[in-house]
Coordinates of all heavy atoms in Angstrom, one line a residue:
S65 N -36.1 2.8 17.0 CA -36.5 1.8 16.0 C -36.3 2.3 14.6 O -36.5 1.4 13.7 CB -38.1 1.7 16.2 OG -38.3 1.3 17.6
G88 N -19.9 15.8 5.2 CA -18.6 16.0 6.1 C -18.6 15.5 7.5 O -19.8 15.2 7.9
I120 N -32.0 2.9 48.3 CA -32.8 4.1 48.1 C -33.7 4.4 49.3 O -33.8 5.5 49.8 CB -33.8 4.0 46.9 CG1 -32.9 3.9 45.6 CG2 -34.6 5.3 46.7 CD1 -33.7 3.5 44.3
I139 N -26.2 6.9 40.9 CA -25.2 7.0 40.0 C -23.9 6.4 40.4 O -23.3 5.7 39.8 CB -24.9 8.5 39.5 CG1 -26.1 9.0 38.7 CG2 -23.6 8.7 38.8 CD1 -26.0 10.5 38.2
R219 N -16.8 -2.6 45.9 CA -16.9 -3.7 46.9 C -16.0 -3.6 48.1 O -16.4 -4.2 49.1 CB -16.4 -4.9 46.1 CG -17.3 -5.5 45.1 CD -16.9 -6.6 44.2 NE -17.9 -7.2 43.4 CZ -17.6 -8.2 42.6 NH1 -16.6 -8.9 42.7 NH2 -18.6 -8.5 41.7

Side-chain angles (χ1 to χ4, degrees):
S65 301
I120 301 175
I139 291 180
R219 290 181 178 180

